[in-house]
Amino acid sequence: PESEDDAVTDSPIVPAPAGPQLKIAALHTDSTQANMWKTVQVQRRHENKHDSTDRVGLRLFPNKTDNKMPAVPHRRKMSDMIPSDIEKEKEMFSGLPKNKENKDREAAAAAKAVLKAHMEMYPHPKKGFAVQTKVLLHKSSILAKRIMENINQCHRIGLTLKRMFESETTHSEAINAVVSTGKITLTAAGADTKHDDRRPQMDKLFGKILDKYDEISTKRQKLSRHFTKLLRQFIVSMEESKEKISRSLATEKIRRESWSEMNTSVIEKRMGCLEHYQRLKQTTMSFAKHGASLEDIDVVYDKEVLDSSTIDGETVMALNPKYMQLKAKKNAAKHNRNLRDLTKKMEKPFSKCLESFLDYRVHLSKGNKVHNQCWEAPDYGIPGIIAAMGQVEVRRYENLQKVLEHLDAFAKNAYVPTWVKMSLNALWKMHQNCILTKWLGEQVEEHGEAKIPDKYVFNLPCTLEDLASKHWDDSYSRYYNPVHKVKELYRQQGAGECRVNAGDIVTVESKQSQKTGYWKCLVLSGAFRHHHGLIPTRILEKMDVCRDMKLMHVLCIDAGYYAFEKHLKGEYSGENLAFWRAVQQFRTLVKEEHRQIRATSIVKRFIIDDAEQQVNIMARHRNQIEKDFKGGTFDTGLFDAAQEEVYELMRKDSFS
């Protein structure tokens, strides 16, 4: 356009005035030679001072809160060409200190080196950002939001640069048209040279000027088209990155919900199993109080109708409760008339417990499959999805790096617009600010590092095999009565209380008592060993399993008892622990008739010469037990000497 009034005012980018007009019409007038040379000199000065094809572009960094495009300047000002970020925080990531002292220079150089290391490590396939994102597995929405902010910012930059280069292309085409018109006019004017001998020299001079303008506009047009094509690809990649982030976030949400539902289901199943197990244990306690033992009954099932199933890759025999039942032994039923009735009462809780345990084991297998899908699948698991988000961010970084490297390579070219050169610093600063390494460390400090949950394990008090082999007996409270240490001396002050000294070890037999704040305990060590009574909870301190614990303490803890029992079976001396357990049960019986039934079972099983599990005790202890048993003495201390001997044997030979 020849003036500002002729320009398109509603265009987003307004070309700047094209400098002093060529005034080719003056060649047809009878102006003097001085005026003509004056025009040429003005043209040359203006060409050296300003680039006539430059124009004012939009600010590259509009405020995030402004949805409207910034106002287009109507005059050519250098301050309008410089992006706003150049005026603000010039020292950011530049490494250039305000003062030139050595310390500041060293600090700036160190900061620049750290930034360079971050930029080199960012796209690394094994140590880069995509791998580091796994620490935010539990905060995927925060990570996706931050990556989306970077993508949106790069998308805005790409659109702005694309518009500006398209405007450069349009402006170069307009200049080419003006130059072509000038050449035609100059050719027509050169035909009339009869009355002016200097006219050919002037025509030659102006021809060179027009050729120069034509060369500049043509090369700038090629560069603008090249960058327009590159920026179109960049914009398309940013739009695809937005879609990938949205899809990854939706898939991750589905996976997390699936895992949460399975986790809740497993917890509910386990609570149901513990409830059925508690009922079976209570039934077993009442079973023992009436003088019966689990050794007096058999678990009968038909091996031919057992169901086989595959659980966790292994074929196992699934115990079907429909084909299993409890039956009292004939010999035991002769000595205890209530044994058959007690066995019938135990059948229902036993069947329910067995069924719930079997259902829990199958459900754990399904839960582990969901765990593989949600946490271990390389592509569709949650860690893979989070890493895919990181890969999108790395591709954004690499695409922007490519665009800036192209701009940087052509910045030294004389045909590149001035606004490109002035905007490069701000673009590089924005590129450096989008690196999320530091932000990732801040999020880990605030929210902590995420960990992949472990697979499900069968964590019930006993297994299905224990139920089938009658090893769920807990009549003397091994599972729910942990070991405690007494913190201070306590003297009994009321009925039912027990005296203990500081440092004594006790095991809680019952947490339910008539006195609030008291537990019924059994003293395991100290001067009041084997005493029962109420002890205030404020002086009890729970003990964990450690190497310094005695055998008695370990036997009162679930994990310790099972470990020691497994160890004894490996040494083929499991009858010692079985005898010790039977005597513990015998000591809890109150009625003498019940003790007589249990004593008969213990003598036939462990004491007599042809017993199935005869224990190795002294002859005098064996003879004393047989003498008291035949004499009808069934007090609670009948087997104390033999139990103490067996305990010492286990402690010295096996536990040590």
Side-chain angles (χ1 to χ4, degrees):
E2 296 182 357
S3 64
E4 295 183 2
D5 297 335
D6 297 335
V8 181
T9 56
D10 56 349
S11 176
I13 298 179
V14 179
Q21 304 304 317
L22 298 178
K23 298 192 177 185
I24 299 177
L27 297 175
H28 302 285
T29 63
D30 296 332
S31 58
T32 60
Q33 183 177 355
N35 290 334
M36 293 175 64
W37 277 107
K38 185 177 181 180
T39 303
V40 174
Q41 291 173 2
V42 171
Q43 169 65 31
R44 287 180 175 178
R45 287 198 301 268
H46 193 80
E47 184 178 2
N48 294 331
K49 185 176 181 181
H50 295 290
D51 188 354
S52 61
T53 57
D54 284 346
R55 82 206 68 164
V56 179
L58 297 176
R59 290 179 181 263
L60 295 180
F61 297 91
N63 295 330
K64 294 183 180 180
T65 57
D66 297 338
N67 297 325
K68 299 180 180 180
M69 300 297 291
V72 179
H74 296 286
R75 293 183 181 179
R76 185 183 184 84
K77 294 181 180 180
M78 293 302 296
S79 60
D80 292 328
M81 296 175 61
I82 301 175
S84 58
D85 281 13
I86 293 180
E87 300 296 334
K88 299 178 182 179
E89 301 180 359
K90 293 183 179 180
E91 303 295 330
M92 183 181 297
F93 293 106
S94 62
L96 298 176
K98 294 181 179 179
N99 50 5
K100 304 300 182 181
E101 296 180 1
N102 294 332
K103 293 183 179 179
D104 293 338
R105 290 192 180 188
E106 293 176 359
K112 196 171 183 180
V114 171
L115 176 62
K116 184 179 179 181
H118 280 303
M119 294 184 70
E120 292 177 354
M121 186 60 66
Y122 203 69
H124 197 277
K126 295 183 179 180
K127 300 180 182 179
F129 179 76
V131 180
Q132 298 173 7
T133 51
K134 293 183 179 180
V135 299
L136 285 184
L137 294 177
H138 55 318
K139 297 295 178 182
S140 56
S141 58
I142 297 177
L143 177 65
K145 182 179 179 181
R146 187 66 181 85
I147 295 175
M148 191 68 77
E149 289 178 1
N150 283 354
I151 294 173
N152 289 333
Q153 188 173 4
C154 292
H155 189 260
R156 288 195 301 268
I157 294 299
L159 290 175
T160 304
L161 291 175
K162 176 175 166 290
R163 293 193 193 103
M164 297 183 72
F165 277 112
E166 287 176 349
S167 178
E168 287 291 344
T169 304
T170 305
H171 190 59
S172 299
E173 292 174 353
I175 292 177
N176 286 338
V178 173
V179 171
S180 299
T181 305
K183 286 183 178 181
I184 295 172
T185 307
L186 186 61
T187 303
D192 188 11
T193 58
K194 297 179 181 180
H195 305 289
D196 193 350
D197 296 336
R198 295 184 179 274
R199 181 58 62 86
Q201 297 179 4
M202 298 300 299
D203 291 347
K204 186 177 181 180
L205 177 62
F206 277 102
K208 290 182 179 180
I209 295 173
L210 291 174
D211 291 339
K212 189 65 176 177
Y213 270 95
D214 191 16
E215 180 185 358
I216 293 173
S217 61
T218 302
K219 291 186 177 180
R220 184 165 292 183
Q221 184 179 359
K222 290 182 179 180
L223 288 175
S224 299
R225 286 178 177 174
H226 168 75
F227 281 114
T228 301
K229 182 179 179 181
L230 181 63
L231 289 168
R232 284 175 182 170
Q233 297 175 356
F234 178 72
I235 292 170
V236 170
S237 66
M238 292 300 103
E239 292 174 352
E240 291 177 353
S241 298
K242 287 183 181 181
E243 295 179 358
K244 288 180 181 179
I245 289 292
S246 301
R247 289 197 300 267
S248 297
L249 198 59
T251 307
E252 191 270 344
K253 183 179 180 181
I254 294 173
R255 288 282 185 269
R256 200 173 293 277
E257 289 178 354
S258 176
W259 172 252
S260 177
E261 291 177 359
M262 177 54 66
N263 201 21
T264 303
S265 177
V266 169
I267 292 175
E268 291 177 353
K269 292 284 185 182
R270 185 175 186 275
M271 295 301 294
C273 291
L274 293 177
E275 183 179 355
H276 289 298
Y277 175 74
Q278 186 68 18
R279 291 176 181 174
L280 178 62
K281 197 177 68 169
Q282 292 175 356
T283 307
T284 307
M285 291 287 291
S286 62
F287 195 79
K289 288 181 180 179
H290 288 80
S293 171
L294 293 180
E295 302 297 332
D296 299 335
I297 59 176
D298 288 329
V299 180
V300 181
Y301 55 90
D302 190 356
K303 295 183 179 181
E304 296 181 357
V305 296
L306 288 179
D307 300 329
S308 62
S309 60
T310 303
I311 298 178
D312 295 335
E314 298 180 0
T315 302
V316 297
M317 301 301 293
L319 302 175
N320 195 331
K322 296 180 180 179
Y323 304 110
M324 302 183 68
Q325 57 182 345
L326 299 178
K327 287 187 176 181
K329 293 181 179 180
K330 294 182 179 180
N331 295 333
K334 293 180 181 179
H335 299 284
N336 192 344
R337 299 178 181 178
N338 300 325
L339 183 60
R340 288 187 174 85
D341 295 337
L342 294 172
T343 305
K344 289 182 180 180
K345 290 181 180 179
M346 187 178 288
E347 283 184 356
K348 185 175 181 180
F350 172 77
S351 178
K352 289 287 185 181
C353 186
L354 186 64
E355 186 176 356
S356 63
F357 274 42
L358 178 62
D359 188 25
Y360 181 66
R361 187 168 68 174
V362 175
H363 204 69
L364 287 186
S365 177
K366 296 179 180 178
N368 287 330
K369 291 181 180 178
V370 175
H371 183 278
N372 293 336
Q373 296 174 358
C374 294
W375 297 103
E376 297 183 0
D379 297 329
Y380 301 102
I382 294 177
I385 295 172
I386 300 299
M389 292 184 185
Q391 288 290 347
V392 172
E393 166 63 17
V394 171
R395 283 193 290 270
R396 178 209 65 80
Y397 171 87
E398 293 175 344
N399 291 335
L400 184 58
Q401 181 88 4
K402 179 181 178 182
V403 172
L404 294 183
E405 287 177 354
H406 275 71
L407 290 174
D408 210 2
F410 288 105
K412 299 179 181 180
N413 196 319
Y415 306 107
V416 174
T418 307
W419 63 266
V420 176
K421 302 176 183 179
M422 299 301 296
S423 304
L424 269 176
N425 290 336
L427 287 170
W428 277 107
K429 289 177 184 178
M430 186 275 294
H431 181 43
Q432 294 163 0
N433 287 334
C434 286
I435 296 178
L436 301 182
T437 306
K438 182 179 179 181
W439 173 85
L440 199 65
E442 294 175 353
Q443 294 299 318
V444 173
E445 291 180 0
E446 181 179 356
H447 302 290
E449 184 175 349
K451 295 182 179 179
I452 297 178
D454 298 329
K455 283 190 173 183
Y456 295 115
V457 294
F458 195 88
N459 53 352
L460 294 176
C462 63
T463 63
L464 283 167
E465 290 74 15
D466 292 337
L467 291 178
S469 57
K470 303 178 298 181
H471 286 168
W472 76 84
D473 184 16
D474 191 20
S475 58
Y476 59 94
S477 307
R478 283 188 290 112
Y479 297 110
Y480 294 93
N481 298 336
V483 175
H484 288 72
K485 185 177 182 180
V486 180
K487 295 188 291 186
E488 59 184 47
L489 172 66
Y490 180 76
R491 295 182 176 87
Q492 63 271 30
Q493 300 176 0
E497 296 184 5
C498 180
R499 180 176 178 178
V500 288
N501 296 323
D504 289 351
I505 306 299
V506 301
T507 178
V508 180
E509 293 183 338
S510 176
K511 293 184 178 181
Q512 299 179 357
S513 63
Q514 296 179 354
K515 286 188 176 183
T516 305
Y518 286 79
W519 288 346
K520 185 178 180 182
C521 301
L522 168 65
V523 183
L524 301 179
S525 65
F528 305 99
R529 183 182 175 186
H530 299 312
H531 287 204
H532 296 261
L534 300 177
I535 300 176
T537 58
R538 58 180 175 83
I539 66 170
L540 298 180
E541 180 181 5
K542 190 174 181 180
M543 293 182 61
D544 297 327
V545 179
C546 63
R547 292 183 178 274
D548 298 333
M549 297 184 69
K550 297 181 180 180
L551 175 59
M552 181 63 70
H553 309 160
V554 173
L555 294 179
C556 293
I557 300 175
D558 178 22
Y561 182 90
Y562 267 116
F564 189 62
E565 184 181 35
K566 184 177 181 180
H567 174 68
L568 289 179
K569 289 181 179 179
E571 293 184 345
Y572 301 100
S573 58
E575 67 278 358
N576 292 332
L577 186 59
F579 173 72
W580 182 87
R581 182 178 62 180
V583 175
Q584 288 290 102
Q585 296 173 352
F586 172 79
R587 195 179 285 116
T588 60
L589 299 177
V590 178
K591 294 183 178 181
E592 185 176 358
E593 57 181 7
H594 293 164
R595 289 198 298 270
Q596 181 179 358
I597 296 173
R598 179 57 61 83
T600 304
S601 175
I602 293 175
V603 169
K604 290 183 178 181
R605 183 182 176 189
F606 300 105
I607 303 300
I608 61 178
D609 294 336
D610 57 347
E612 297 178 359
Q613 295 178 306
Q614 186 181 17
V615 292
N616 185 15
I617 57 177
M618 294 182 181
R620 57 187 180 90
H621 291 161
R622 191 187 308 276
N623 295 334
Q624 184 64 37
I625 292 173
E626 292 178 353
K627 180 180 178 181
D628 293 342
F629 178 75
K630 293 179 180 179
T633 305
F634 303 106
D635 57 352
T636 55
L638 176 62
F639 303 100
D640 283 356
Q643 187 191 33
E644 188 70 23
E645 182 182 355
V646 170
Y647 176 83
E648 289 297 323
L649 183 65
M650 292 189 297
R651 184 180 66 83
K652 292 179 180 180
D653 296 346
S654 302
F655 186 70
S656 59

